[in-house]
Amino acid sequence: MSQKIDLDITSVIYRPVLIRAGVAALFGIATFLFQEPSDAVVNYGSAIFFLFSGSAMWEYLRRDPVPEGMRSPLSLIAAIWMLTALTLVGLQLGDVSATVTWITIAAGLGVGGIAEVWAWTWRKSFAPARDHLIAGIVGIITAGLLAAMQDLDYHRIFGIAGTYALVVAVLFAITGIGYWLDTRKAVKEDGYQPPAP
């Protein structure tokens, strides 16, 4: 998958890609472990997911190989996710209903998904951008599911958000591991010296 991508890109990008995959995997697993989550588990758990996902996106976008223009949609994603995290904490502290929780999560995933599709438009000049299409579409579909379902309780909200997280985890784990293996092989076999992140 990553053989055609310049090593100077893969060697710098694989870490933030794997961090995003790891954050998504942990959240996705947590949503299946908590079968009857309380409002606090859903709001705080989702807030932590959005917070660390936004941080991972920030780490990704500030790397030198990322094209300057592509940083706009990536910055928007990071900002939306951070704002979503803060909103979810506020919802829990304000003891607001599950309806507002799913609207907040749907907005974060939906707007973030649209921005990821926008980031995908840089795929010709920056090959790793191609992964943002699938992640963006999954975010938009997840937001649509949350909006379309009736009588969403915290269990369903957590489950739907967790499914999104697991899809993203698998997508970016495959990509990140591929980049890491390409870099490792070049370092061991060809004496490649990766640039500083």
Side-chain angles (χ1 to χ4, degrees), residues 129-150:
R130 65 187 175 203
D131 292 318
H132 292 289
L133 177 64
I134 296 172
I137 290 172
V138 172
I140 294 166
I141 290 171
T142 304
L145 280 174
L146 286 165
M149 293 188 74
Q150 299 291 321

Side-chain angles (χ1 to χ4, degrees), residues 67-113:
E68 201 65 40
M70 188 181 167
R71 293 180 188 194
S72 293
L74 297 179
S75 296
L76 177 61
I77 296 164
I80 289 293
W81 289 346
M82 296 287 191
L83 181 61
T84 302
L86 289 172
T87 304
L88 287 167
V89 170
L91 295 180
Q92 182 58 37
L93 295 175
D95 196 24
V96 184
S97 71
T99 302
V100 185
T101 295
W102 76 251
I103 290 171
T104 302
I105 292 173
L109 295 178
V111 176

Side-chain angles (χ1 to χ4, degrees), residues 145-166:
L145 280 174
L146 286 165
M149 293 188 74
Q150 299 291 321
D151 299 323
L152 278 172
D153 57 13
Y154 286 109
H155 170 74
R156 289 181 182 169
I157 295 168
F158 216 37
I160 293 169
T163 303
Y164 161 82
L166 288 173

Side-chain angles (χ1 to χ4, degrees), residues 40 46 57 61 70 83 163 170-171:
S46 300
M57 186 61 73
L61 74 89
M70 188 181 167
L83 181 61
T163 303
V170 170
L171 171 68

